[in-house]
């Protein structure tokens, strides 16, 4: 059964919508340059309102190891997502500081990129077309992948069911595709979740 991650939540109403929809994961973005960035204080407040059955993922981009670990060990996030150029050494060091699961994101432009992702020692891999721009990539590159993955990049309510039926990913991850004018849109969030679950039923 494909899991669902709604990423880039930053407002109380986003959390309230998520609590109704019951995705498996939501994402808080801590990357400094992101328009969806939330402060640790804001993330703490939002996490306190989140249904405890929904896991919170912290999204980081080439951040200081101690800063990442602090967020995880404070209980603000349940998993960490590394969305920059963090290498195997970074992941190894992170594991000595915290025992929370690690998701490593990879931008997929070629079959070689897929092989690189498969070789990662991270607990989970996330395959994307960019760094949060909602850019899709060529799904045919995944035809020989042997490892479960989070599928991201260009997903929206219109193609989510097809993604689930065609690829059967471990999880789908959406942010831009559930926004209107740069803000999360509850109608689009609902439509996306429904589309994923519909795709599951019709596999």
């Amino acid at each position: 059964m494909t899991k669902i991650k709604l990423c880039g939540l930053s407002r109380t109403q986003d959390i309230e919508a998520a609590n109704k929809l019951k995705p498996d994961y939501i994402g808080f973005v801590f990357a400094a340059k992101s328009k969806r960035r939330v402060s640790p204080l804001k993330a703490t407040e939002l996490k306190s309102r989140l249904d405890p059955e929904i896991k919170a993922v912290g999204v980081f981009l080439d951040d200081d190891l101690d800063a990442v670990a602090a967020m995880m060990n404070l209980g603000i996030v349940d998993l960490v997502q590394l969305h920059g150029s963090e290498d195997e050494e970074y992941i190894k060091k992170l594991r000595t500081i915290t025992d929370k699961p690690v998701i490593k994101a990879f931008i997929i432009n070629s079959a070689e990129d897929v092989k690189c992702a498969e070789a990662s020692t991270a607990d989970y891999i996330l395959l994307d077309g960019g760094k949060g721009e909602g850019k899709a990539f060529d799904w045919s590159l995944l035809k020989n992948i042997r490892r479960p993955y989070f599928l991201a990049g260009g997903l929206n309510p219109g193609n989510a069911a097809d993604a689930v039926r065609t690829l059967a990913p471990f999880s789908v991850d959406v942010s831009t595709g559930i926004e209107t004018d740069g803000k999360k849109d509850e109608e689009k969030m609902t439509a996306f979740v429904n589309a994923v679950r519909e795709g599951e039923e019709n596999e």
Side-chain angles (χ1 to χ4, degrees), residues 22-178:
K22 299 285 191 290
D24 302 275
Y25 309 96
I26 61 97
F28 295 133
V29 178
F30 297 109
K33 293 178 182 174
S34 174
K35 62 184 180 185
R36 302 181 185 97
R37 182 183 183 275
V38 291
S39 67
L41 191 64
K42 184 66 176 175
T44 304
E45 181 208 326
L46 294 174
K47 178 72 157 54
S48 71
R49 298 172 183 271
L50 184 67
D51 183 323
E53 290 187 7
I54 303 170
K55 301 285 187 195
V57 178
V59 181
F60 299 91
L61 185 68
D62 298 318
D63 278 286
D64 177 73
L65 264 170
D66 291 333
V68 175
M71 301 280 247
M72 296 166 78
N73 295 334
L74 283 169
I76 299 173
V77 294
D78 304 300
L79 299 92
V80 63
Q81 179 177 320
L82 305 174
H83 219 94
S85 56
E86 302 91 355
D87 58 11
E88 287 294 312
E89 188 62 25
Y90 186 102
I91 294 171
K92 187 177 172 185
K93 286 179 182 170
L94 188 58
R95 290 195 194 284
T96 68
I97 305 171
T98 178
D99 60 357
K100 298 280 174 70
V102 176
I103 305 168
K104 177 69 184 98
F106 292 85
I107 294 174
I108 303 300
N109 292 309
S110 67
E112 198 54 44
D113 294 332
V114 176
K115 282 184 189 172
C116 187
E118 282 191 298
S120 173
T121 60
D123 298 279
Y124 302 99
I125 55 172
L126 182 146
L127 310 180
D128 204 342
K131 290 188 177 177
E133 305 97 332
K135 185 176 147 194
F137 65 92
D138 181 1
W139 291 351
S140 71
L141 292 169
L142 306 181
K143 62 181 182 291
N144 296 318
I145 194 166
R146 297 177 303 279
R147 179 174 176 174
Y149 58 90
F150 282 73
L151 178 68
L155 292 175
N156 57 59
N159 64 10
D162 186 43
V164 171
R165 282 193 295 264
T166 306
L167 302 170
F170 169 75
S171 180
V172 286
D173 185 331
V174 67
S175 188
T176 306
I178 50 171

